[in-house]
Amino acid sequence: MTGDVQGLLAADEPAAARVLRETGTSDFFLTADHAGRRIPRSLGSLGLPPHELERHIAWDIGIAGVTERLAEALDATAVLQTYSRLVIDCNRNPTWPTAMPELSERTTIPGNVGLTPTAREARIAAVFTPYHARITGLLDARAAAGRRTVFVAMHSFTPSFKGESRAMHVGVLYNHDASFADALLRLLRAEPELVVGDNAPYAVTADSDYGIPVYGEQRGLRHVEVEIRQDLIAEPEGQAAWAELFARVMVAADSLAG
Ligand SMILES: [Zn+2]
């Protein structure tokens, strides 16, 4: 392993940001901070066995497939993050302890214990900064072109957390501005047999989230964070069904919210 900032990612490893439909025509702009579970080779396995790296602690299971299909259905630009949230969580301010967690749920992450400032900087430089620079650049370009943007942060949640199971299928999350979230909630609740969470299983806050406060609130963009339960989107069939549902309800909610 090298402590060199430039050395975290090898030349043949993919960039942190994967941009889909860069010239998409939709007002909707999608991000998926936890889409991937790659670990830079220079970090090995972070000291974890393979089964831990397949679990929800490493990534948002299924959300890449939903986001890809939703981007296609809407012709929307989407930015997906390639590396595991255990390397650096791109929905956290990188100065927070939760950005490179030593403990996730009940699992100690050996490769994150006692990180030096240099090691932290290397992860920020390799993953966080380029990923958010891509989002910032795309949003700036839309603003400069006078384009409207509805910012949607795509996530998925585990059906069972610390032994407690969750009946909810989908959550609609927001913080200070609930205008679009309210419309989306109304439409999702009108769907048969759907159990919908209002700011659940989590709530967005400026102390626990990065994307919604920075891109939605600070830029004054219409926005929402979506959480879909992972067992519903683990396979392509479920991903397609949820992308189809969201393509429909997001467009309708955008009209409903006025
Ligand atoms: Zn997530």
Side-chain angles (χ1 to χ4, degrees):
M1 193 192 297
T2 166
D4 185 76
V5 170
Q6 274 74 40
L8 192 63
L9 292 182
D12 65 334
E13 291 186 290
R18 177 161 67 100
V19 180
L20 308 178
R21 298 193 169 255
E22 189 168 346
T23 57
T25 55
S26 174
D27 286 357
F28 288 99
F29 184 97
L30 314 175
T31 63
D33 300 338
H34 304 144
R37 63 184 179 97
R38 285 185 77 104
I39 297 179
R41 279 200 301 276
S42 60
L43 298 180
S45 65
L46 294 173
L48 292 169
H51 73 270
E52 293 285 4
L53 297 173
E54 290 163 12
R55 293 182 56 219
H56 72 92
I57 61 169
W59 62 326
D60 280 2
I61 293 165
I63 207 62
V66 175
T67 305
E68 287 160 4
R69 287 165 173 81
L70 183 56
E72 187 180 349
L74 295 168
D75 190 23
T77 300
V79 188
L80 289 75
Q81 210 283 101
T82 305
Y83 291 91
S84 171
R85 64 194 300 172
L86 298 177
V87 175
I88 183 164
D89 188 328
C90 285
N91 191 30
R92 306 279 182 267
N93 185 304
T95 63
W96 297 342
T98 50
M100 297 164 231
E102 295 191 356
L103 184 73
S104 182
E105 199 176 5
R106 289 168 173 156
T107 303
T108 297
I109 317 302
N112 289 357
V113 175
L115 285 178
T116 63
T118 306
R120 290 183 172 275
E121 279 305 318
R123 294 190 192 187
I124 294 168
V127 179
F128 183 93
T129 300
Y131 172 65
H132 285 291
R134 283 294 264 145
I135 296 172
T136 299
L138 288 163
L139 292 177
D140 284 350
R142 295 169 75 99
R147 280 186 67 182
R148 182 171 174 269
T149 295
V150 182
F151 182 85
V152 181
M154 300 293 295
H155 291 267
S156 69
F157 66 96
T158 177
S160 164
F161 187 74
K162 293 186 176 174
E164 201 172 302
S165 68
R166 291 158 162 169
M168 188 181 306
H169 298 129
V170 60
V172 176
L173 283 53
Y174 51 91
N175 185 18
H176 298 296
D177 176 4
S179 55
F180 183 60
D182 277 346
L184 193 58
L185 273 167
R186 278 173 59 186
L187 293 170
L188 285 171
R189 283 179 168 155
E191 294 290 316
E193 293 171 25
L194 210 55
V195 183
V196 186
D198 178 347
N199 246 351
Y202 321 101
V204 171
T205 73
D207 301 324
S208 62
D209 291 75
Y210 187 88
I212 292 296
V214 170
Y215 301 121
E217 295 178 345
Q218 289 176 23
R219 285 177 179 254
L221 302 177
R222 175 167 283 185
H223 63 269
V224 76
E225 183 167 323
V226 167
E227 289 271 1
I228 306 170
R229 205 176 71 195
Q230 290 170 357
D231 57 310
L232 306 174
I233 55 171
E235 302 299 330
E237 293 76 16
Q239 293 165 9
W242 279 86
E244 195 181 314
L245 169 66
F246 266 98
R248 178 160 54 81
V249 293
M250 288 201 329
V251 169
D254 194 29
S255 305
L256 188 65

